[in-house]
Amino acid sequence: MAYGQTGTGKTYTLGRMGKDDDSKRGIMVRALEDITANTSPTSDCVEISYLQLYMESIQDLLAPEKTNIPIVEDGRTGEVSVPGATVVKINSMDQFVQLLHMGEANRHAANTKLNTESSRSHAILMVFIRRSVPEQEGLDISLRETEIDKKTGRPGYHVPTIRKSKLLIVDLAGSERLDKSGSEGHLREEAKFINLSLTSLGKCINALAENSPHIPTRDSKLTRLLRDSFGGSARTSLIVTIGPSSRHHAETSSTIMFGQRAMKIVNAVKLKEEFDYESLCRKLEIQVDHLTEEVDKQQKLRENCRSEMEIKLREYQNSFAEAEKSLVSRSEFLEQENASLESRMKDFVKELKSLKDHNDLMHDEIARLEKSMKNNKLLEKENSQLAQKLKDVLDDLSQQKNYNDVMRDEVASLEMSLKLSKQQQLENSTYQKVLADTTQMYEKKIADLMKQSENSHARAESAEGHLEELKKKLTDNQILMQHVQMENSRYQKTLAETTQMYEGKIASLTREINEEHARYIDAEEQLNILRKLSSGQQNSVQILEQKEIRELKSRLQEMHQVHEATVNELQSLKKEHNDLEAEKGRLNDEIHTLRQALKVEEMRRKAAENDLVNIKKVVPESEDGFEEKRSYTKEKLNRGPSSFGQRSSIAKICEEVGLQKILSLLTCEELDVQIHAVKVVANLAAEDSNQERIVHEGGLEALLMLLQSSENTTILRVASGAIANLAMNELNQGLIASKAGVRLLANTATKRDDPQTLRMVAGAIANLCGNESLHVILREDGAIKALVKMARYGNIDVIAQVARGMANFAKCESRGILQGNRRGRSPLMEDNALAWLIANSNTTSSSARRHIELALCHLAQNEYNAKDFVSSGGLKELIRISVESSREDIRNLASKTLKLSLAFQAAVDAL
């Protein structure tokens, strides 16, 4: 059992899980580990129940729907039990840890000035162990039963013996003084019940220490449950926790005195063994059932065997006949199958032959390709010979050209001589005969020259035909070469070989193109000379030569285009290679930069881990160890370091770690780190001196970001509490509204149903409602609707905060109306807040009732709301407040409002 003041580490000592560090596990986890290590699943049974005593009502933490569970005492043995509690059998430590998590989530906790997560109930973990005693140990115990069996003459049975043990691990709620904790409303009622139960426990301890004849164990349910722990048959260990501050000197002294008195109590440990008649009865019943089943089985087997033998005999006869038929049909089928297989074998042989022929054709094709390669070489040689012959023909054509020039000059001279002879014939007729002879002679010479010219023309035509044949052969050879080169290119394997082949092909093509171009230029020049020699007689030949030249030029251009395309393709390949190299370099640079960034991130992570270690050293992991409200934190900061070193105060965290690093941990991906960081910020936000630093360093933005992104209940609850502390400052209220904080708070309220989280959110909105300049934003962002919706959950603490927010809103609104700054009906009327205020005006919580009465009084001061008050019954409630309110100032305010309103006076007169 852990006993001490609130916030001194009771839950930290008992219930800590120790997920990250096994050395930080609490007593609950360690105890179950020892129990499971020393028990056997075959002979031992370990079961647990997890309860809480909340406001003198026993509730089941493993089944929250079970409340007000009764306590039962055995009149014969005096043993205390809680039969209505849920009992779970433990099979593994993981199962126990999950159950412990479930119980902690259902336990009542609240935020006070002394502790941000103060336990408001006593938690009791009950561990039940049952162990079967071996037969040798239980022999003496069962000896009586064995003798009785001998007397009766019946076979004896060994009665099994079991040992029972019960472990109670009690996490008591901390004692607190109301002036220090600042508890109000429902928290005040919780504190009263906690202190009453602890007082009853102290009375029992005093009575036992003084050996009093009467022990007042029935004064409280806590003392009834723990009756065996003090002065009973249990072995009891008491853990006393105290705080380091001298401010709590009185509580520390009282706690130590409680421990001293408890040490005087002496318990008598007893071994609890009993006969397990129930298990023996179950075993005998199982044995009897088993024997009867065996007898029935034997009888049924005999009958079934006889019937089965007859059925099998008939089946065998039928199967024999069917087997004969199937053998005959099977033999016929096998014969048909054999014939089909033979036909398929023949088809396979044909296919193999066809494949062999195909292979032979492929071998012939390969041989043909090899032969074509050889022919290609021969064609190259033949091309060179043809080129030499073409050169010789061109030489002959040049000689023929010179001869034709000489003959042309002779013809011209003969024509001139004929003209002169004709003139002389007119002058001298005596020379006519001589001229006729001379003319005949020249005509013969001209005829001879014409024959020679025709012969030369024929030789030129034959040369041109030969040239055309050479050209055709050349084009055919080029086509064959291209075909062979395309076939050879298919067998190339790598890009380098392909590139080399293209380069070689391009070089050979360029050389051939240059040679062909030179030959075509020479042929064109020779043809031009021939055209000049016989321009009048060979027009058709010239046209044909021009067509051939144009065709040759077009072919030349095509080959040139092919050459350019090949060159461009080679350049594109080189460019792609260069691009790939550049991309590789860029990727290497990016990898290098990423490695550098990873190194920097690793250094930052290590620094964050070191900061987290420092925070864990000074901040307890349990939620009970954090302080949020201002008064307690101020004293701790003013008193400086204590004997606990780094755990002296939350302010020392900022000095050692730094506020900026703590705020940076709010964005960490690890949930445990975020929870620790947000709790530290929540404690710092409770101090006015720290709020400006938190807002300046970006703490407000980080808290709002947690509200927007986190799904963890603890983070949302503590972050809402921190924002509520910051919202106490008017400057911070404007910043929260400008950064969409009102909308985030409203969204959190609509998405969550946890009472503690809703109480924090309602408190933050209530603080913002006290700023008149933010009323429009509160209405537009849905904060007023969220307040009304949160009140419907029925939690008294949430209702108190909702009522406070509506009171602040109505107070600011009535002030603006009195000053003449506002007019019109209140927005609270449009959100059905008046109906809720009237329905909850008689609530049991004094704090909530006071805020509701104030809200009604301030809303009634607005004349535009008078009609709603009269129609909804608010006027009657206002009259009741003016008479029955527990506070005089509220009664006076209600009476004043009724007197000043003409509409209310008329309605009262009508009543």
Side-chain angles (χ1 to χ4, degrees), residues 287-550:
Q287 191 172 1
V288 170
D289 294 338
H290 180 69
L291 291 174
T292 54
E293 289 177 358
E294 287 293 330
V295 172
D296 294 337
K297 286 181 181 178
Q298 291 294 332
Q299 291 178 354
K300 290 180 181 180
L301 284 173
R302 290 174 185 174
E303 295 176 356
N304 292 333
C305 285
R306 184 179 299 171
S307 59
E308 286 178 359
M309 292 296 291
E310 294 176 356
I311 293 170
K312 286 182 179 179
L313 181 61
R314 289 193 296 269
E315 289 179 353
Y316 290 153
Q317 292 174 355
N318 295 329
S319 63
F320 181 74
E322 291 177 356
E324 288 180 349
K325 293 179 181 179
S326 63
L327 286 173
V328 174
S329 60
R330 183 67 177 170
S331 61
E332 294 175 355
F333 175 75
L334 289 174
E335 289 177 357
Q336 295 176 359
E337 187 71 19
N338 191 10
S340 63
L341 289 174
E342 288 179 355
S343 62
R344 290 176 65 186
M345 285 293 294
K346 292 179 181 179
D347 295 336
F348 286 147
V349 170
K350 291 180 181 179
E351 290 180 0
L352 289 173
K353 289 181 179 180
S354 63
L355 289 173
K356 183 178 178 181
D357 296 336
H358 181 69
N359 290 332
D360 295 336
L361 291 174
M362 293 299 294
H363 286 298
D364 295 338
E365 184 68 19
I366 293 169
R368 188 185 64 77
L369 290 173
E370 292 177 354
K371 187 175 180 180
S372 64
M373 290 292 291
K374 293 179 181 179
N375 292 331
N376 189 15
K377 293 180 181 180
L378 295 173
L379 288 172
E380 289 178 355
K381 292 181 181 180
E382 186 176 354
N383 286 334
S384 61
Q385 293 176 0
L386 290 173
Q388 185 65 34
K389 290 181 180 181
L390 180 60
K391 187 177 180 181
D392 296 338
V393 169
L394 292 174
D395 293 338
D396 294 337
L397 288 173
S398 61
Q399 293 177 2
Q400 186 65 32
K401 177 187 173 184
N402 296 328
Y403 179 74
N404 288 334
D405 291 337
V406 173
M407 292 301 295
R408 191 171 180 179
D409 294 336
E410 290 181 358
V411 170
S413 61
L414 288 173
E415 290 176 353
M416 291 296 294
S417 61
L418 285 174
K419 291 178 181 180
L420 293 173
S421 63
K422 288 179 180 179
Q423 291 177 0
Q424 290 177 2
Q425 186 179 7
L426 294 172
E427 295 175 357
N428 192 1
S429 58
T430 56
Y431 298 100
Q432 289 181 354
K433 293 180 180 180
V434 177
L435 182 59
D437 297 332
T438 305
T439 300
Q440 290 178 355
M441 180 185 65
Y442 284 119
E443 286 177 354
K444 290 179 181 179
K445 288 183 179 181
I446 288 169
D448 294 333
L449 290 173
M450 291 297 292
K451 289 180 181 179
Q452 291 178 2
S453 177
E454 289 176 356
N455 292 331
S456 63
H457 180 66
R459 285 197 298 273
E461 286 180 350
S462 63
E464 288 174 358
H466 188 59
L467 181 62
E468 288 177 357
E469 290 177 358
L470 291 176
K471 289 177 182 178
K472 289 180 181 179
K473 289 182 179 179
L474 183 60
T475 53
D476 293 335
N477 291 334
Q478 289 176 352
I479 292 170
L480 288 173
M481 289 175 68
Q482 289 177 357
H483 181 69
V484 173
Q485 288 174 356
M486 289 174 65
E487 289 181 348
N488 292 332
S489 63
R490 295 173 184 174
Y491 300 100
Q492 294 177 354
K493 296 180 180 179
T494 60
L495 180 62
E497 293 175 352
T498 305
T499 306
Q500 292 177 0
M501 184 197 71
Y502 276 121
E503 291 177 352
K505 187 191 294 185
I506 290 166
S508 62
L509 287 172
T510 50
R511 286 194 299 270
E512 290 176 1
I513 289 167
N514 293 329
E515 292 175 357
E516 289 294 330
H517 187 63
R519 293 194 197 102
Y520 292 149
I521 290 172
D522 294 335
E524 186 179 2
E525 291 177 354
Q526 293 176 3
L527 290 172
N528 288 329
I529 293 170
L530 291 174
R531 188 175 59 252
K532 291 178 181 179
L533 292 174
S534 56
S535 57
Q537 299 176 1
Q538 301 176 355
N539 291 329
S540 60
V541 176
Q542 290 177 358
I543 292 171
L544 293 173
E545 288 177 351
Q546 289 177 358
K547 288 182 180 180
E548 290 176 355
I549 291 169
R550 283 196 297 270

Side-chain angles (χ1 to χ4, degrees), residues 757-767 787 790 798 801-802 804:
T757 304
L758 294 178
R759 185 171 64 85
M760 297 293 185
V761 175
I765 295 176
N767 291 337
L787 275 178
M790 283 188 286
V798 178
Q801 295 297 330
V802 171
R804 185 170 69 89

